Amino acid sequence: MTERLGTLPGWARSALIAAGLVLILSITVTLTGQTQLASSGTSEAAVRLGLPILFAALGGLWSERAGIINIGLEGMMVLGTWGAAWAGYQYGPWAAMLGGLVFGALGGLLHAVATVTFNVNHIVSGVAITLLGTGLTKYLATLVFTPVSQNPRQSPRLDGFTEFQVPGVADGLAALEDQQRVFVSDLAGLLSGLVSGLTPIVVLGFALVPISYWILWRTPFGLRLRSAGEAPVAAETLGVNVIVQKYVAVVVSGGLAGLGGAALVLNPAQLSYLESQVGGRGYIGLAAMIFGNWRPGGLLMGSALFGYVDGLQLRAGGEAVHALLYGATLVAVVVAVLWAIRRMWAAAAIALVAGLLVYALYWTVDTVPSELASYAPQLVTLIVLAAASQRLRPPARLGVEYRRGEGR
């Protein structure tokens, strides 16, 4: 069975995994009574909260495929929030998107100068950009927003995009969700959030996943860019300007992270710049990219997971997160069975023990404290990275210094 799954195309395996997760979620809803686990409201919240993480993950993908570690995604997102708020306050939501893109790209350019031109350690440069972005935006916010909002920590309220939905599809899914049928209604509720409450920046975020895949894996430019992260010396001997490829990748990375900051500012529930609103999402985006094994489809799944957990705890609180422990137990059991079929006995035993421990936690407590539930996305980040660490395959020359002419 597992051998047959291995022969399927990547999109087919992803679809099967997604269907299995929806089935497990549906069983959890039925047995726990927590309908918020698969409601359209939770799904819509997951899209809005997962969108900034998706942009950051895409930014990390572009940079790291060219061999540059970009731990400065957090700082570039911070720069993007201020740029989006400043431009959006004066010229509207489309200008906010452009402002976030430009300010994030400037952060990416600084990272490229430090790491590519001067060979500064990538981690040191990324941390420095995060600190610089945080301090610079505090200063700029005080300078620009205090006269108009009397609060240096927050901008005036911005004009947002008009929300829309996919005609016909959204109404049909809502009708199916209201019927409360096992699996069918749960699937309809989850899909409904993907076609309702849409804005141009949401559509752009979804579109950039296949666009990034096509550019990086189906064009000569993408091949040259990825070669800069896999075998830069060999690429240079074939005439590839490795330095230019790295610069382009890191600047695009910063621009995408800046769009993530703009997505936070343009969230219909907020529509303003707020100090510290990024809240570690740049790092979570980096984790989503690693979880996705440096592939666009995988990082989309990772961003959706983190956005879903965040949206669930905000909408339903500790009780829903508590019910999610039951679903995590089922996932662990399924994984243990699959690994046992492949005769990976040690991994199967670890997964089974982990599932039993999670179920023991579910059985012994009635609800997850709100203080702990608010950190659920961060906890999921740690668990997912620990589980995925054995199958990761980063670019071969990721984080390795490169100087022009090394291959001569």
Side-chain angles (χ1 to χ4, degrees), residues 30-406:
T30 302
L31 296 179
T32 63
Q34 286 291 331
T35 57
Q36 287 292 343
L37 290 174
S39 70
S40 56
T42 298
S43 179
E44 189 172 332
V47 170
R48 293 178 178 177
L49 293 170
L51 185 64
I53 297 172
L54 175 61
F55 278 120
L58 285 170
L61 173 72
W62 275 78
S63 178
E64 300 206 356
R65 275 294 174 181
I68 305 297
I69 298 173
N70 193 356
I71 203 171
L73 290 169
E74 179 83 2
M76 296 169 197
M77 286 186 74
V78 172
L79 289 170
T81 58
W82 189 88
W86 173 75
Y89 173 66
Q90 300 184 68
Y91 305 111
W94 289 102
M97 287 177 59
L98 181 60
L101 173 69
V102 170
F103 272 77
L106 289 175
L109 178 61
L110 181 60
H111 189 47
V113 170
T115 57
V116 180
T117 300
F118 294 103
N119 283 312
V120 175
N121 180 276
H122 299 185
I123 304 298
V124 171
S125 175
V127 171
I129 287 173
T130 298
L131 295 175
L132 176 64
T134 302
L136 182 61
T137 52
K138 284 184 179 180
Y139 169 74
L140 292 175
T142 302
L143 186 67
V144 174
F145 295 142
T146 300
V148 292
S149 70
Q150 286 75 49
N151 183 359
R153 297 174 178 269
Q154 187 172 2
S155 71
R157 187 171 177 82
L158 310 179
D159 293 330
F161 288 111
T162 300
E163 297 179 47
F164 63 93
Q165 62 182 22
V166 179
V169 178
D171 293 335
L173 290 174
L176 281 176
E177 182 184 9
D178 291 339
Q179 293 178 14
Q180 295 299 309
R181 296 182 180 178
V182 176
F183 185 78
V184 174
S185 294
D186 297 323
L187 178 61
L190 293 172
L191 293 177
S192 179
L194 304 181
V195 296
S196 305
L198 300 176
T199 62
I201 196 168
V202 173
V203 175
L204 176 63
F206 285 141
L208 281 175
V209 175
I211 289 173
S212 293
Y213 172 78
W214 178 75
I215 292 175
L216 293 176
W217 274 271
R218 291 292 183 267
T219 66
F221 165 76
L223 177 61
R224 290 192 293 269
L225 187 145
R226 288 186 294 115
S227 71
E230 294 288 350
V233 173
E236 187 182 47
T237 60
L238 294 174
V240 176
N241 192 326
V242 174
I243 300 297
V244 170
Q245 298 297 323
K246 288 179 179 289
Y247 259 90
V248 170
V250 181
V251 171
V252 171
S253 173
L256 290 168
L259 281 174
L264 281 170
V265 170
L266 293 173
N267 187 328
Q270 188 162 350
L271 289 176
S272 64
Y273 162 86
L274 184 65
E275 187 178 302
S276 302
Q277 71 190 127
V278 174
R281 287 179 175 84
Y283 301 119
I284 295 178
L286 195 63
M289 179 208 65
I290 295 171
F291 166 77
N293 212 1
W294 289 266
R295 303 282 293 192
L299 66 84
L300 175 63
M301 293 179 63
S303 302
L305 173 63
F306 301 134
Y308 172 78
V309 175
D310 202 6
L312 182 65
Q313 65 90 12
L314 284 176
R315 280 185 56 85
E319 291 186 0
V321 175
H322 176 255
L324 203 59
L325 295 175
Y326 191 92
T329 302
L330 296 179
V331 170
V333 171
V334 171
V335 170
V337 170
L338 290 176
W339 277 342
I341 292 174
R342 298 175 63 181
R343 298 183 180 180
M344 299 170 62
W345 305 115
I350 292 173
L352 186 59
V353 170
L356 292 174
L357 290 175
V358 172
Y359 185 73
L361 178 61
Y362 169 80
W363 184 262
T364 53
V365 299
D366 295 328
T367 184
V368 176
S370 59
E371 295 83 5
L372 182 60
S374 63
Y375 285 98
Q378 287 80 358
L379 293 174
V380 169
T381 301
L382 293 174
I383 294 170
V384 164
L385 287 181
S389 61
Q390 301 302 315
R391 62 173 183 82
L392 300 180
R393 195 276 182 191
R397 303 293 290 177
L398 179 61
V400 178
E401 293 183 5
Y402 172 79
R403 297 182 185 275
R404 191 192 302 270
E406 282 187 4

